[in-house]
Amino acid sequence: MNLLPDQIRVLERGWLSSNNVVFHEGTEATLVDSGYLTHAEQTLALVERALEGRRLARLVNTHSHSDHIGGNASVRRAHGCRISVPEGMAPAVRDWDEDALLLTSAYQRAEPFEFDATIAPGDELEMGGIAWQALHVPGHDMHALAYYAPAERILISGDALWRDGFGVMFAELHGDSSGLPAQRRTLELLRELDVCTVIPGHGAPFADFTAAVERAFQRLAAFEQSPERMAKSAMKALFTFTLLEKRRMPRVDIDDYFTQVAIFRDVSQRFFGKEPAAVAALVIGELLKAGVLAEQDGDIVARGS
Ligand SMILES: [Zn+2]
């Protein structure tokens, strides 16, 4: 089934790197999001192939997380393209504020980059000869934008909506209770759109938009009822991300990791009222049981990509 017009190429990645979307525009092209830093070489190779000889003129981001901006500097070096970022994330990038970019608290990495333009909620932009509206979709990231093409009924949702859920509620994890209400308003906004195909930040493009929005509302309601459930789900996602980057970690080091890395330590105390080691045991136990992680020779390893 061909869900998308021919000039849009979705490079489906995994969880460490976000998807990349390449738009053919005559002899030029636009790229949305650039993956994680340690995948930058792979991103360059995939984008090069998807360009099919075109010149990459522009890179556009959905939001500021490391798995979406980690390849920005490499892509710009390789192609000399312009970079446009959501207006809300511009100060953090300009000052390379590793706290605001959530790099410090989660021990994640990205390479500083320069940008040429910002995109504000309500702005219109053309990508692949299609008119897109920038929609403010706070929640997972309070400055995130989605891009919506009303005529083609396509939504580039970033991490505000996936086929099954949405990205981690970082604001809430950091003690800011405006995250869940923002995500609710975002889902209410998205629900009103006429969408035939969603290009999410992670996972394959999908067609069943209404069902996905419904699942997201259910997940949100569960999180609203139980902040602890939200926090546990987030810890699982964040630790899996960590292992995708590191590939493996000795099991004996995990207690220290949860104690040293701010987001694990703080969430353990804020949401569980427990020592980080106790939360680590809970989180790792569930991830092993679910088969997301495995234990090999005393190491915990990730099974995804
Ligand atoms: Zn994200």
Side-chain angles (χ1 to χ4, degrees), residues 81-99:
C81 57
R82 293 167 57 79
I83 296 182
S84 300
V85 300
E87 154 187 277
M89 74 182 247
V93 173
R94 191 179 294 121
D95 303 338
W96 202 250
D97 179 343
E98 298 211 341
D99 290 326

Side-chain angles (χ1 to χ4, degrees), residues 41-113:
E41 286 301 311
Q42 187 186 41
T43 301
L44 288 180
L46 290 169
V47 168
E48 185 67 45
R49 196 181 316 154
L51 288 172
E52 296 174 13
R54 289 169 183 80
R55 187 180 84 83
L56 184 67
R58 180 177 47 161
L59 165 56
V60 172
N61 288 118
T62 56
H63 64 292
S64 65
H65 292 160
S66 62
D67 52 331
H68 296 254
I69 65 164
N72 276 23
S74 293
V75 168
R76 189 178 172 96
R77 262 196 305 278
H79 295 279
C81 57
R82 293 167 57 79
I83 296 182
S84 300
V85 300
E87 154 187 277
M89 74 182 247
V93 173
R94 191 179 294 121
D95 303 338
W96 202 250
D97 179 343
E98 298 211 341
D99 290 326
L101 293 168
L102 301 183
L103 297 169
T104 318
S105 70
Y107 268 24
Q108 292 178 8
R109 291 184 290 152
E111 186 182 354
F113 65 91

Side-chain angles (χ1 to χ4, degrees), residues 33 61-65 68 85-89 119-122 134-147 156-161 183 186 189:
D33 285 344
N61 288 118
T62 56
H63 64 292
S64 65
H65 292 160
H68 296 254
V85 300
E87 154 187 277
M89 74 182 247
I119 305 168
L135 306 177
H136 187 209
V137 289
H140 163 70
D141 176 304
M142 298 310 269
H143 306 296
L145 296 179
Y147 301 106
I156 298 172
S157 59
D159 293 347
L161 177 74
Q183 181 68 21
T186 286
L189 169 84

Side-chain angles (χ1 to χ4, degrees), residues 120-139:
D123 281 0
E124 298 218 350
L125 59 159
E126 197 175 300
M127 299 189 288
I130 293 169
W132 301 81
Q133 300 170 351
L135 306 177
H136 187 209
V137 289

